[in-house]
């Protein structure tokens, strides 16, 4: 948490991706929206700007990120709320559940199943998820995602979506531009912590920094090989 504190977002994605999803799904007006696993609220902010009449809830399990999101989103007033909690336990009803880079914590099929009952009639889920871009996956991709054995290519991801009783409506490939902001900020934060001398007296932080440095280096070595897909899905 110390490593990610103060970074603008905690996973790949851009404001343009959020706007694309809203347009493609036809979400507008007084929509009820959940940002599940919102982190420090980068996409919640874009959702709130793009949907000025919507009621938006952000939920995240990390108290530190929830505090950052609350500070960031205070300017929107009571129509945007941030809650510390488990995104698997949400009530709704929501017209849109947005989930950037967090559904894999629940499992794609398991998470989508858990959210079905929280969707309003006609409601949709938009989530982003790691994918292999080639079959077989490149060495670079395999190494980058070594900690996520459930990863598949896009067709495998679509199978997992359908297994939850949803139909895939559209998919957007998130390429290097979606990663750049996250990686640049993470690298900047590592540099800041090193400069502050935080590393020697905190072994857990030192380990997290080494892991993050390796993640950034692996991505910089082959950015075109590291895929993420933004999937729009509705109950079938
Ligand atoms: C990779 S970060 C993405 C954050 C944000 N969506 C973004 O794109 O910047 C994943 C987030 O999921 C949150 N998370 C993981 N499991 C969760 C759960 N069961 N309930 C709520 N949040 C969870 C983590 O705390 C973390 O903030």
């Amino acid at each position: 948490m110390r490593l990610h504190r103060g970074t603008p977002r905690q996973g790949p994605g851009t404001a343009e991706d959020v706007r694309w999803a809203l347009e493609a799904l036809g979400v507008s007006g007084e929509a009820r929206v959940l940002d599940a696993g919102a982190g420090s609220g980068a996409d919640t902010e874009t959702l709130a700007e793009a949907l000025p009449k919507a009621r938006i809830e952000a939920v995240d399990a990390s108290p530190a990120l929830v505090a950052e999101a609350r500070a960031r989103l205070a300017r929107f007033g009571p129509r945007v709320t941030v809650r510390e909690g488990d995104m698997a336990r949400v009530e709704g009803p929501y017209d849109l559940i947005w989930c950037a880079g967090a559904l894999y914590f629940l499992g794609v099929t398991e998470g989508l199943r858990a959210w079905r009952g929280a969707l309003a009639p006609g409601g949709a889920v938009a989530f982003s998820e790691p994918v292999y871009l080639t079959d077989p996956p490149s060495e670079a991709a395999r190494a980058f995602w070594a900690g996520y054995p459930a990863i598949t290519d896009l067709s495998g991801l679509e199978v997992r979506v359908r297994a939850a009783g949803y139909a895939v409506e559209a998919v957007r490939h998130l390429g290097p531009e979606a990663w750049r902001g996250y990686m640049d900020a993470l690298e900047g934060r590592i540099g800041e912590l090193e400069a502050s001398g935080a590393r020697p007296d905190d072994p857990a932080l030192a380990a997290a920094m080494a892991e993050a440095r390796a993640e950034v280096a692996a991505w910089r070595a082959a950015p075109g090989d590291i895929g993420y897909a933004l999937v729009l899905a509705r109950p079938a």
Side-chain angles (χ1 to χ4, degrees), residues 103-104 106-116 127 129 148 156-166:
L103 186 53
Y104 52 74
L106 304 182
V108 170
T109 305
E110 295 78 0
L112 289 175
R113 273 194 194 128
W115 289 341
R116 245 193 110 125
F127 71 96
E129 170 74 11
Y148 182 42
L157 177 56
E158 292 189 3
V159 169
R160 288 189 280 162
V161 172
R162 286 198 294 273
Y166 287 68

Side-chain angles (χ1 to χ4, degrees), residues 1 8-12 35-43 59-62 65 85-88 98-102 104-106 228:
M1 275 309 106
R9 60 178 308 131
Q10 292 73 46
D35 186 351
S40 66
D43 291 338
V59 62
D60 199 279
S62 156
L65 292 174
D86 182 359
M87 65 181 172
W98 172 266
C99 183
Y104 52 74
F105 284 105
L106 304 182
Y228 231 72

